[in-house]
Amino acid sequence: MTNTTDQKPQATNVPAVSFEFFPPQTLDASFRLWETVQALAPLRPDFVSVTYGAGGTTRKLTHEAVATIHKNYGLTVAAHLTCVDATKAETMEIVEAYHQAGVTEIVALRGDPPKGAPRFTPHAEGFASSIELIEALARDGRFTIRCGAYPEPHPEATDPLADVRWLKRKTEAGATSAITQFFFEPDTFFRFRDACLREGITAKLIPGVLPIQSWKGVKGFAARCGAHVPAGLESRFEAAIRDGREQELSVELCVDLCEKLMAGGVDHFQFYTLNRPQLTQKVCAALGVTADRRLAVA
């Protein structure tokens, strides 16, 4: 049964949180990453993740960021790993380097195609899919394996349930939890969760939440990943931008989404920080996720 969200929920528990960062490619971006980590580390996230660039373009930078965050901040880091533009041997060398750096969790993904490529094409000697990568990591046996999930159909999906069936195969291969793409409405997640349960998926589903830093940027991202934009949302942001209230509206919408998800049983959120901590901090504070509260429930 799909959860209803027409009543204002009363959230009483402090949710678990995790944060996604991306590796810096300039000096200014490096400062912004470390400022973001320093700002959010006191919230005691269950883990943090560090992304790959499209086509694996930030592979070395990702490894460096992962190693530094783990060593200097004592956080559990779930390192992204993709199948793009690498042989199986090269990919497993990265896995070994992660292990040597003290990493115990990996987010295993197929990955986006290199810039300019119309679609993903497996390397002739590489992993053909995220399932093959997960199977290899499961055989390795040294990592907690997380994967990605699409609560709305992926642009390459052949039918509405294709992503659910694919997720089931990933969990059967060894992934123990899945982090979703961002979405705007709680019922999007609840419908997806219901569909997963009907398919027998028991792995934990962690909603990916995106505090909107820039409405213009998010619109483009939503179009590329297939996220449905609710009617009226654009006009609300246009008005907020005119009034200088874009960030206030973003926090309001994000808190409302999280509270309704919590009322439906969600107890963990993955925040896509875009290496800018302010909005994530405000949303977490509104949900009771503060340094003192997280310490109390740890």
Side-chain angles (χ1 to χ4, degrees):
M1 179 181 296
T2 299
N3 299 72
T4 58
T5 58
D6 54 345
Q7 293 183 348
K8 183 68 174 177
Q10 298 297 320
T12 57
N13 298 321
V14 179
V17 295
S18 51
F19 305 121
E20 180 184 280
F21 309 127
F22 57 80
Q25 300 189 56
T26 66
L27 182 60
D28 285 346
S30 293
F31 287 129
R32 192 161 69 242
L33 169 61
W34 305 127
E35 288 168 359
T36 300
V37 175
Q38 288 174 346
L40 296 177
L43 299 184
R44 301 174 64 86
D46 277 28
F47 64 91
V48 299
S49 63
V50 182
T51 68
Y52 261 33
T57 51
T58 65
R59 187 175 291 127
K60 184 173 184 294
L61 294 172
T62 295
H63 181 271
E64 291 173 352
V66 165
T68 301
I69 292 171
H70 174 72
K71 179 180 178 180
N72 293 351
Y73 296 93
L75 298 174
T76 297
V77 185
H80 282 215
L81 186 65
T82 75
C83 307
V84 178
D85 199 26
T87 67
K88 292 180 181 179
E90 289 168 338
T91 301
M92 296 312 290
E93 286 176 6
I94 296 168
V95 170
E96 180 60 31
Y98 280 152
H99 173 69
Q100 293 299 324
V103 172
T104 58
E105 301 194 7
I106 288 178
V107 181
L109 306 164
R110 186 199 71 178
D112 295 326
K115 187 175 182 180
R119 62 183 61 86
F120 170 79
T121 301
H123 190 287
E125 299 177 12
F127 293 108
S129 68
S130 57
I131 291 173
E132 287 191 3
L133 176 57
I134 291 168
E135 288 172 340
L137 292 170
R139 287 192 299 270
D140 180 277
R142 293 179 292 179
F143 300 90
T144 296
I145 307 168
R146 305 184 187 274
C147 65
Y150 275 79
E152 298 173 279
H154 186 281
E156 298 175 21
T158 55
D159 64 73
L161 284 178
D163 295 303
V164 175
R165 292 191 294 267
W166 192 251
L167 176 58
K168 184 176 183 180
R169 292 182 61 188
K170 289 192 282 190
T171 60
E172 290 172 343
T176 56
S177 68
I179 302 166
T180 78
Q181 181 59 271
F182 79 93
F183 52 91
F184 294 100
E185 298 175 299
D187 279 343
T188 298
F189 178 81
F190 292 137
R191 285 191 294 267
F192 178 68
R193 186 178 66 182
D194 291 346
C196 288
L197 289 173
R198 287 193 295 269
E199 288 293 320
I201 297 172
T202 58
K204 186 177 183 66
L205 301 179
I206 302 173
V209 177
L210 176 64
I212 297 173
Q213 306 281 348
S214 162
W215 175 242
K216 180 180 178 181
V218 165
K219 280 196 303 180
F221 191 20
R224 291 192 296 275
C225 70
H228 169 69
V229 178
L233 190 57
E234 180 160 15
S235 61
R236 291 187 68 183
F237 266 101
E238 288 175 349
I241 291 169
R242 286 196 303 270
D243 296 339
R245 294 187 59 258
E246 183 178 16
Q247 291 199 350
E248 287 84 351
L249 177 60
S250 175
V251 171
E252 174 189 331
L253 292 172
C254 199
V255 170
D256 184 64
L257 173 63
C258 291
E259 287 181 339
K260 288 176 177 176
L261 290 169
M262 289 173 66
V266 172
D267 61 2
H268 186 151
F269 299 108
Q270 164 94 337
F271 289 98
Y272 296 119
T273 71
L274 304 183
N275 290 10
R276 296 183 183 277
Q278 291 83 5
L279 295 187
T280 297
Q281 285 177 303
K282 290 178 180 179
V283 173
C284 286
L287 298 175
V289 182
T290 62
D292 291 343
R293 291 287 298 278
R294 287 290 289 148
L295 182 63
V297 300

